[in-house]
Amino acid sequence: MTLFEKIIQRQIPANIVWEDEDTLAFRDISPQAPTHILVVPRKPLPKLADATEADTELLGRLLLTANKVAAQEGLSDYRVVVNNGEGAGQSVFHLHLHVLGGRDLRWPPG
Ligand code: 5GP
């Protein structure tokens, strides 16, 4: 079981800021911006590339949860990032969206 599944199942603590039937959002333990929240599906999908047509609605819900947590944080400008695979920086293999904001964000990211 991944770390994020343990957070979803309340086996390890996290600062949860949003929860609904399909998604959960909690603060990143090592924030890279004043707001750094992770949005995850309850369904354990290892990475974005594993999503199929059957996940179409779930992927939309994840983005809508990202919008909701950004609004909760009072952010109008923010970045949503998905690292897909180790080479792209993914370290936890349970799909997650990073929602980053609260400071100027440069482009392109490293
Ligand atoms: P990735 O590198 O897979 O895109 O993102 C994983 C994220 O999970 C990292 O930003 C990391 O700081 C965060 N993280 C790792 N362990 C924990 C933890 O135990 N709790 C929380 N809230 N975040 C974690």
Side-chain angles (χ1 to χ4, degrees):
M1 190 188 290
T2 67
L3 187 60
F4 293 170
E5 277 178 87
K6 289 180 185 162
I7 288 175
I8 292 163
Q9 295 185 10
R10 303 296 204 278
Q11 290 177 18
I12 60 170
N15 190 338
I16 295 168
V17 297
W18 179 268
E19 196 171 5
D20 61 35
E21 206 179 313
D22 299 310
T23 70
L24 196 84
F26 49 90
R27 293 192 192 281
D28 197 292
I29 206 167
S30 175
Q32 302 301 311
T35 292
H36 186 172
I37 290 168
L38 302 171
V39 177
V40 303
R42 289 187 188 277
K43 174 182 168 175
L45 203 57
K47 55 186 166 69
L48 182 61
D50 296 317
T52 68
E53 291 294 326
D55 299 307
T56 300
E57 187 175 336
L58 181 59
L59 294 177
R61 290 195 179 284
L62 289 166
L63 285 170
L64 290 174
T65 296
N67 278 350
K68 286 168 188 158
V69 300
Q72 263 183 190
E73 295 288 304
L75 297 173
S76 56
D77 297 347
Y78 52 94
R79 182 173 291 165
V80 179
V81 173
V82 177
N83 297 325
N84 185 82
E86 264 167 19
Q90 186 174 6
S91 59
V92 179
F93 284 80
H94 182 114
L95 173 62
H96 50 283
L97 278 55
H98 296 258
V99 179
L100 297 146
R103 65 167 169 83
D104 285 338
L105 295 165
R106 278 176 279 158
W107 189 261

